Amino acid sequence: MKENVFKSVAELISICQTEDKSIHEVMLDQEMNMTGLSKDEIYERMAHHFNTMEKAIQDGVNGVTSKTGLTGGDAVLLQNYLASGKALSGELLLDAVSKAVATNEVNAAMGKICATPTAGSAGVVPGVLFSLKNRLQLSRTDMLNFLLTAGAFGFVVANNASISGAAGGCQAEVGSAAAMAAGAIVEAQGGTPQQSAEAFAICMKNMLGLVCDPVAGLVEVPCVKRNAAGASNAIVSADMALAGVTSRIPTDEVIDAMYKIGQTMPSALRETGRGGLAGTPTGQRIKQQIFGD
């Protein structure tokens, strides 16, 4: 196995600028170096994950319900509301939200999803990606490249901080997913690698400190709706970066800050199902109803 091409966002952007490559191209190089696979083999593997994402969205939009009954059907409600023409958020944003919710409802219903970067945050990246498909007229290859770009940022986070709710709270899961999506949106829209990094930083900063407090310890409440927030945050952050807005704190320092916040976060707020919303009277009642004493 060859040495990694990049280990930080700063290194990633430097390579892009020096070699005049997009982020997805650099990530593809990295994948080939690390795995020894060819370009076609990597795209073939990614296509499998892509198909899983697409089916999860379709299933969720058609309507699913979890075994506990805590989640399900909200993606259908959102699509119906979108079709009514009364949505205040705008078609693109609400469509992304509905598809993010759809994916996580499928996860909660024990369906098959693709962790991006985790199961609990699996809705954000595909939700955003499939909402952009028609708006940006993305080809299948463009969509796979979107995933490569998101993966490049996720690679840095996973190796320098955490993508685990148990280790760093929901900021490490949905926060990372949203920031990954934001960076990928910028590239898909024709922005520069540096603008992608700015979008990532802006998005991550907006989710710092987000706790992981699953009711009854299940990846349902509030996880599904947090994916909706992550998707909307990603789109807004991407627009800000494309408009020329920058982050005063460099991207790698934002990632480090997220990691340090996670380290100091009480264990009750890190996926244990004891604090936050899980610790409310209603949260405890739901837990008792599902699991008993």
Side-chain angles (χ1 to χ4, degrees), residues 97-145:
V97 164
S98 71
K99 288 171 178 173
V101 168
T103 301
N104 276 84
E105 287 185 331
V106 168
N107 178 58
M110 300 300 179
K112 188 176 182 180
I113 53 90
C114 180
T116 46
T118 65
S121 61
V124 178
V125 170
V128 168
L129 173 57
F130 282 90
S131 71
L132 290 173
K133 179 180 179 181
N134 293 332
R135 175 68 174 270
L136 300 184
Q137 297 183 320
L138 300 178
S139 67
R140 186 178 178 85
T141 299
D142 291 333
M143 297 178 81
L144 295 180
N145 289 339

Side-chain angles (χ1 to χ4, degrees), residues 211-241:
V211 301
C212 184
D213 51 351
V215 171
L218 302 171
V219 188
E220 297 194 51
V221 178
C223 316
V224 173
K225 294 181 179 68
R226 286 206 177 134
N227 276 259
S232 58
N233 188 13
I235 293 171
V236 172
S237 298
D239 264 339
M240 291 179 71

Side-chain angles (χ1 to χ4, degrees), residues 26 36 57 90 117 121 138 156 171 184 198 209 238 245 253 263 279 287 291:
V26 175
I57 288 174
S121 61
L138 300 178
V156 174
Q171 58 164 8
E198 302 292 353
V245 178
E253 292 184 30
Q263 292 293 295
K287 179 181 178 181
F291 296 112

Side-chain angles (χ1 to χ4, degrees), residues 182-187 189-203 233-247:
I185 294 168
V186 169
E187 183 169 288
Q189 179 68 330
T192 67
Q194 184 59 47
Q195 285 178 314
S196 285
E198 302 292 353
F200 180 99
I202 291 168
C203 191
N233 188 13
I235 293 171
V236 172
S237 298
D239 264 339
M240 291 179 71
L242 288 164
V245 178
T246 60
S247 172

Side-chain angles (χ1 to χ4, degrees), residues 77-79 81-98 131 135 228-229 231-233 235-236 239:
L77 293 177
L78 287 164
Q79 283 290 325
Y81 178 58
L82 183 59
S84 75
K86 298 178 181 179
L88 303 176
S89 303
E91 183 177 349
L92 175 65
L93 190 148
L94 196 60
D95 189 46
V97 164
S98 71
S131 71
R135 175 68 174 270
S232 58
N233 188 13
I235 293 171
V236 172
D239 264 339

